[in-house]
Amino acid sequence: MPTGLEEVARRVPPPRKHPNPSNRQVPSAPCPIAGQRLVLRSLAISQKYIESLPEPSLTGTSQPAAENLVPYSKTQPSIFKTAQLTPIKDLKLLVKDYPPIAKHALTILINISTDPEILKSLAEDDALLESIFVRVTNPKEPNADLLSMLLSNLAKSDSLSRLLPLTRSAIPSLSSLTTTTTSSPTRKTENAINQLLALFNAGVHGKYNPAATFEHLAYLFADLAKFPKIATHLAQPQGEEAPLLAILTPHTHPPTLPLPLRLGAVSTIRNALLALPDPHTHIPALLPHILPSLLLPLIGPDPSFAEQETDLLPPELQYLGPEQQRETDARVLREIIEALFLILARCGEGAGEGGEGGEEGAKGAEVREMVKGMGAYAVLREFHLAVDEDEGVRAGVERCVQLLMGGEEAEGMVEREKGRVTEVVDGEGLVGKEGRGVDGGGTMVRGEMYKGEESDSEDDKMVEIF
């Protein structure tokens, strides 16, 4: 049956704007005084905020000036684009300054990096990228989370695909904290993406830098996963170990985890599934590693599975008690449902109408049997009964079941719900009109705004993938 896969639009988390950063700081080497005067002068000219500059003072002028300019990065971002982006060039210098000054420079850059011209200037700057890497991997860096957010915003640019062939010197203090091949203590150099994955794996558990959570690196991986070569890198087994993508799977659940962590993890899985150039090879190999982490958030407390259905579930999903919590955030749920849809649909690519015929059709049928053999149908059925509020999510579940059951129930799956029987029909797509956001592609999930404000932007809405 037609899956509508050809209409799937890539969706990745959008650029984030951050609240006022933490006040935890440690000393570091400052920029040259001339560099500080240059940035202050260029910003003063661009927005007419500082009428005159006294003699340079590392803590007496630069820090208050940079702090006072942070609100302008939201209300008047155009002031930073004057004089051929001279203020941007100078803000890059302040990233290397004392932590209190660098904090405000980073906040400004995070907020204005949504502008395409500014994004291009930042993302294509090798020196800035190196500076970010050096600092974000420093276990004593107080602005590590801000650096993580800036790095994830830079991944909106296609130029960040150059991280895949990039190698960096191994960091012994980081390598010693991980047992995966992403960062081995015996290596002198390592892949840049592998190093960031190792940093994320250690950092989110509080083992690397007590001043940072590194949760926004999950958004970075979600953006990078849209590149086919990087998606392949994440999906390939690492020697005898699981694929790199498996590093993110523990963070899809429970809903008490921070939203950037959960949403970034499921978005990375979803985007990688969409970008993989050879789904018939990679998806079957990925299933044992990613399917349990996609099904677990859909299960509520004391699920009412039949004994035979429970036996099909992976061990970690069996006999869940009253403490089990179902995911409640619609954005996370939609990413999970779309990931399940992509698992079922992409393995049938090239099989012709109805998903039958040839090697591709056989592979698609094999994947459907694998997914059913891991209890996915029972999970989707119970989740569909429990979700009332979001018609877009419900429609997505119905579409997944139609693909999962093939010809068995595709034309008339009957669901019992609250004493009534409803006919499930093939709707417009995985996400219904109720879930439709702005036109076009790109995920519309935003992080916190400056000073903790919530965004009312249309960008916060989800975009229909069909």
Side-chain angles (χ1 to χ4, degrees):
M1 88 178 39
T3 65
L5 185 62
E6 66 278 0
E7 301 175 25
V8 173
R10 289 188 315 195
R11 183 156 76 251
V12 292
R16 286 151 291 283
K17 298 192 177 184
H18 196 62
N20 196 24
S22 69
N23 59 5
R24 189 167 185 173
Q25 298 134 6
V26 297
S28 69
C31 281
I33 291 177
Q36 298 215 32
R37 286 187 58 82
L38 179 61
V39 69
L40 291 171
R41 189 175 303 281
S42 66
L43 291 173
I45 292 172
S46 67
Q47 54 93 27
K48 299 180 180 179
Y49 184 74
I50 304 172
E51 295 183 355
S52 62
L53 291 174
E55 288 301 312
S57 171
L58 293 179
T59 58
T61 300
S62 299
Q63 183 178 349
E67 182 176 6
N68 290 335
L69 286 169
V70 171
Y72 289 88
S73 65
K74 283 183 57 183
T75 61
Q76 300 180 42
S78 60
I79 67 174
F80 298 94
K81 296 178 64 177
T82 58
Q84 298 180 330
L85 299 182
T86 298
I88 304 300
K89 299 172 185 176
D90 298 335
L91 283 168
K92 293 176 185 179
L93 293 175
L94 288 191
V95 170
K96 306 174 185 178
D97 214 305
Y98 281 124
I101 298 172
K103 175 181 67 175
H104 301 305
L106 286 166
T107 302
I108 293 171
L109 290 175
I110 290 168
N111 287 346
I112 64 179
S113 61
T114 56
D115 182 277
E117 186 179 2
I118 294 175
L119 176 61
K120 177 179 173 64
S121 173
L122 297 175
E124 296 181 1
D125 189 331
D126 290 338
L128 175 64
L129 191 61
E130 174 65 19
S131 179
I132 292 173
F133 260 97
V134 168
R135 285 161 176 76
V136 78
T137 55
N138 181 353
K140 297 182 179 180
E141 172 58 54
N143 294 321
D145 277 341
L146 287 175
L147 290 160
S148 298
M149 294 182 71
L150 179 58
L151 189 58
S152 66
N153 278 5
L154 298 189
K156 303 300 173 191
S157 168
D158 288 350
S159 68
L160 259 286
S161 62
R162 71 186 189 275
L163 288 182
L164 181 59
L166 181 66
T167 58
R168 297 189 47 76
S169 298
I171 304 173
S173 59
L174 179 60
S175 302
S176 63
L177 294 175
T178 178
T179 57
T180 69
T181 55
T182 58
S183 187
S184 171
T186 60
R187 295 183 180 180
K188 294 184 178 180
T189 61
E190 54 192 355
N191 177 271
I193 293 178
N194 290 18
Q195 190 174 85
L196 288 173
L197 282 164
L199 176 64
F200 171 81
N201 195 33
V204 295
H205 295 103
K207 297 179 180 179
Y208 191 67
N209 184 341
T213 64
F214 296 100
E215 60 193 39
H216 285 89
L217 286 180
Y219 283 146
L220 168 69
F221 303 135
D223 280 311
L224 293 177
K226 68 187 178 184
F227 301 113
K229 290 184 178 180
I230 294 182
T232 300
H233 179 72
L234 295 175
Q236 287 177 338
Q238 302 294 299
E240 297 181 356
E241 299 184 14
L244 296 175
L245 201 59
I247 291 176
L248 294 152
T249 55
H251 308 297
T252 63
H253 194 74
T256 51
L257 291 175
L259 178 61
L261 198 56
R262 301 182 342 260
L263 185 56
V266 297
S267 296
T268 303
I269 296 171
R270 183 257 189 209
N271 291 339
L273 289 169
L274 179 59
L276 284 170
D278 187 8
H280 306 101
T281 298
H282 289 118
I283 290 181
L286 280 173
L287 272 183
H289 303 289
I290 65 174
L291 189 59
S293 67
L294 294 174
L295 296 179
L296 182 59
L298 306 182
I299 302 175
D302 289 322
S304 55
F305 299 132
E307 183 177 353
Q308 302 94 316
E309 294 172 336
T310 299
D311 292 340
L312 291 177
L313 294 169
E316 59 267 39
L317 306 188
Q318 296 181 8
Y319 305 108
L320 299 172
E323 70 282 354
Q324 167 65 16
Q325 300 178 59
R326 180 181 287 112
E327 177 62 60
T328 58
D329 190 280
R331 293 167 293 183
V332 178
L333 290 174
R334 289 173 182 173
E335 292 290 300
I336 291 173
I337 297 303
E338 289 178 16
L340 293 172
F341 173 83
L342 290 166
I343 288 172
L344 297 166
R346 292 216 63 202
C347 283
E349 286 181 359
E353 187 173 356
E356 299 177 356
E359 183 178 348
E360 291 81 4
K363 184 64 70 173
E366 176 187 340
V367 168
R368 286 198 301 271
E369 290 304 313
M370 289 177 66
V371 174
K372 284 192 285 187
M374 296 176 73
Y377 176 77
V379 174
L380 289 171
R381 182 195 65 217
E382 295 301 312
F383 175 70
H384 185 269
L385 293 173
V387 178
D388 293 325
E389 299 81 6
D390 196 315
E391 289 299 322
V393 171
R394 288 172 58 84
V397 174
E398 293 159 10
R399 193 62 177 271
C400 284
V401 171
Q402 290 170 349
L403 285 177
L404 179 62
M405 304 310 292
E408 300 173 30
E409 300 188 14
E411 298 302 324
M413 182 183 69
V414 177
E415 295 287 5
R416 286 181 173 82
E417 180 182 0
K418 296 181 179 178
R420 61 189 177 88
V421 179
T422 57
E423 181 85 1
V424 176
V425 297
D426 189 9
E428 291 186 6
L430 191 57
V431 178
K433 290 182 179 179
E434 294 80 359
R436 186 171 295 168
V438 296
D439 294 333
T443 31
M444 301 300 159
V445 182
R446 209 178 272 277
E448 297 87 353
M449 299 284 285
Y450 169 74
K451 291 189 181 296
E453 297 177 359
E454 295 293 333
S455 171
D456 296 327
S457 169
E458 285 288 309
D459 285 354
D460 288 324
K461 300 179 181 178
M462 301 303 292
V463 180
E464 194 171 25
I465 69 167
F466 288 96

